[in-house]
Amino acid sequence: MNTQAPSLLDRNIVGPAVAEAFRKLDPRSMVRNPVMFVTLVGAVLTTLGIFTATAADRGFVAQLAVWLWFTVLFANFAEAVAEGRGKAQARSLRGTRVGTLARRVAPDGSVDTLNAAELRKGDVVLVAAGETIPADGDVIAGAATVDEAAITGESAPVIRESGGDRSAVTGGTRVLSDEIRIRVTANPGEGFLDRMISLVEGASRQKTPNEIALTILLAALTLVFLLVCVTLHPLGSYSGVAFAIPVLVALLVCLIPTTIGGLLGAIGIAGMDRLLRRNVLATSGRAVEAAGDVDVLLLDKTGTITLGNRQATEFLPAPGIAIERLADAAQLASLADETPEGRSIAVLAKAKFQLRGRDVAHARARFVPFTAQTRMSGVDLEGADGNATRRIRKGAAAAMRGFVDREGGGFPDAVARDVDAVARAGGTPLVVADGRDVLGVVHLKDVVKGGIRERFAQLRKMGIRTVMITGDNKLTAAAIAAEAGVDDFLAEATPEDKLALIRREQEGGRMVAMIGDGTNDAPALAQADVGVAMNTGTQAAKEAGNMVDLDSNPTKLIEIIEIGKQLLMTRGSLTTFSIANDVAKYFAIIPAMLMATFPAIGALNVMRLASPHSAILSAVIFNALVIVALIPLALRGVAYRPLGALAILRRNLLVYGLGGILVPFAGIKLIDLLLVQIHLV
């Protein structure tokens, strides 16, 4: 799904957009944009004015009417193009949907086959290798590799398994290996893919608070100029200056901020579209806009900063213990351990000492699973009489100290030092014991994702403070924070701690973004101004956040923030340009309206336009064409540069303020010369 944006000249976009521009002329649709609604009314009045105009003025009034209609249509076309790009993606997404059969598991264990559309939230289904997942859900049993290319655009399969933060699956993706049991979490039409289609089509896009505020401001300016023009008509008659209705309409349309009014909707839609092209689904324009103001970023460690699966990297034997003995015991204790950590211990022992998995059935092995209460796991090897001849355990240092004490042994100081050293280095120490003998430590390391330190440095340059949140102890948290390059960390954090931290930051006036992937992150994701859930995470996390990163890449927030800032900068830049335009058009229209009656004010005709009719028509034509010229900029966005607010303001005033004044002078003059050359005035 991570594709290049279609060209503005793509006929699959332009054709439907032209038709949509005419459909949007419906007053019920136009009234949502006060600036363009007033322009539409002006176009209607000018069109009617053709029939009441004198023969000498009829051609001039007809040209005014045509260009006023073009102004409205060009504004509608800009929004339709932005929506059309999203609809093209929606068609692509719909193409991934196929009629799917599901194997539903009844409460009594029986399995029946039905159409996926008949599934309901809470149903349990079986999906085997080669089958399509029929609905959104959580894996409740088993593990499998899943092809999510239809959603993420990435061809590499991912692992989905029960009991962790990688349990969420999406309807329409395909299982490549093994079999999983899934509990459905969405009714038909309410799934993740359905929400994506609805959002990219723009049907559910709501205006953001800033966009609403700007719309109100533009409406107020429009109302002021409308009152001025309404007042000018009787005043003009009183003073002997005949202000015709078409001329007053032209004055009104040129003075109200039609440029930004015509492009405002396109800017907002294009912002969400740019985000989606980076494989981030935003549930609202508000979230995109808020991303531009973020100054504090909170990141969950596991699965976000780190890969999430701790790997065994080293065996540290106790004094007098051969490293091979430690590796052998650690592997024996891990043979029945299906966790990634347990598997990595067996793999490390095999890689370093060629110790392979062995048949322990003849040795009467009884495996002891890990529990949160014991905090250890292992194996008991029984003799012929049924009594345990060896009791091998691996687990947390505190739990293992208690086990060894009960066995009548002691905990060596050297092993305690190794435990502390591993913790300080950011790893997780697992102590291995064979009965009363402490054999040593297995170093488990949670691997930090590649390149993340450099990306956090970029965030720092943008003025964003990064805070890592983890349930690890302070020593481990400090080591990983230093390796990842975050600015601060919160260790031993509970869901309540995360929520409290976000609220404290928000009470200090800061905009907070949170990235997470687990169910325990859901409250914090919901509280944050921008909550980005990893697509590999749980369904609860994805529902709590207001964005979902389909690539599950925490550094994606840099792009999200840049797009948010780009959205705000584009809107501000084009608003500045639009208002500056109005100032320039003022110097074209006002002198032209008065020159015939008051020749003395000809000095105000600084552009030396050919005639009053030429000046008015040139300004109206420029007003329409500038909307078309700015459509690519509105869709692409103003280039983002990590500058301070004052620097951005100066740049806007210089480029878009000064440019907004100079460009209309040149444009209107060129149009005036062209109109004279082709004898249209």
Side-chain angles (χ1 to χ4, degrees), residues 144-188:
T145 54
V146 179
D147 177 7
E148 294 188 339
I151 303 299
T152 66
E154 296 294 331
S155 58
V158 295
I159 295 176
R160 291 290 177 261
E161 56 190 349
S162 62
D165 290 344
R166 298 176 184 272
S167 61
V169 291
T170 305
T173 57
R174 192 163 58 93
V175 173
L176 299 180
S177 69
D178 305 294
E179 183 177 83
I180 50 178
R181 185 170 295 204
I182 300 168
R183 178 177 288 112
V184 176
T185 57
N187 290 321

Side-chain angles (χ1 to χ4, degrees), residues 330-400:
Q331 189 187 61
L332 275 172
S334 303
L335 289 178
D337 188 345
E338 290 300 319
T339 65
E341 294 87 349
R343 289 194 293 267
S344 74
I345 291 173
V347 168
L348 182 65
K350 175 183 175 182
K352 283 200 168 187
F353 306 106
Q354 289 71 53
L355 296 174
R356 298 181 176 274
R358 64 216 80 176
D359 182 9
V360 291
H362 70 278
R364 299 172 184 263
R366 183 176 63 84
F367 290 98
V368 179
F370 174 87
T371 68
Q373 290 72 34
T374 64
R375 300 180 66 198
M376 70 175 80
S377 61
V379 61
D380 290 341
L381 301 179
E382 300 176 354
D385 59 359
N387 295 321
T389 58
R390 295 179 67 186
R391 288 162 56 83
I392 303 172
R393 297 289 185 273
K394 72 176 193 299
M400 291 302 298

Side-chain angles (χ1 to χ4, degrees), residues 1-6 10 12-13 80-97 149-153 193-202 269-282 550:
M1 206 184 70
N2 196 0
T3 58
Q4 293 292 322
D10 187 337
N12 294 323
I13 299 293
V81 167
E83 291 173 350
R85 286 147 67 100
K87 289 176 180 177
Q89 286 185 314
R91 286 193 296 272
S92 175
L93 288 171
R94 281 199 177 94
T96 67
R97 304 177 72 170
I151 303 299
T152 66
L193 198 58
D194 298 294
R195 295 201 305 273
M196 286 180 68
I197 291 171
S198 175
L199 287 164
V200 299
E201 284 184 323
I269 295 170
M272 293 183 70
D273 179 61
R274 285 195 297 276
L275 199 64
L276 188 62
R277 292 186 188 283
R278 286 161 178 79
N279 270 8
V280 178
L281 173 65
L550 302 179

Side-chain angles (χ1 to χ4, degrees), residues 252-340:
L252 174 63
V253 170
C254 287
L255 292 187
I256 63 177
T258 48
T259 304
I260 184 62
L263 297 172
L264 190 58
I267 293 169
I269 295 170
M272 293 183 70
D273 179 61
R274 285 195 297 276
L275 199 64
L276 188 62
R277 292 186 188 283
R278 286 161 178 79
N279 270 8
V280 178
L281 173 65
T283 58
S284 71
R286 181 193 298 263
V288 185
E289 193 173 85
D293 291 325
V294 164
D295 44 24
V296 177
L297 168 62
L298 309 183
L299 304 102
D300 181 55
K301 185 206 76 173
T302 305
T304 305
I305 290 177
T306 64
L307 293 176
N309 292 332
R310 294 173 298 176
Q311 303 291 311
T313 59
E314 189 178 10
F315 293 116
L316 302 171
I321 300 296
I323 193 170
E324 292 83 1
R325 182 184 174 193
L326 168 61
D328 180 75
Q331 189 187 61
L332 275 172
S334 303
L335 289 178
D337 188 345
E338 290 300 319
T339 65

Side-chain angles (χ1 to χ4, degrees), residues 507-525:
E507 287 167 2
R510 287 174 283 273
M511 294 285 285
V512 180
M514 166 75 184
I515 293 182
D517 63 350
T519 301
N520 63 343
D521 296 322
L525 288 170

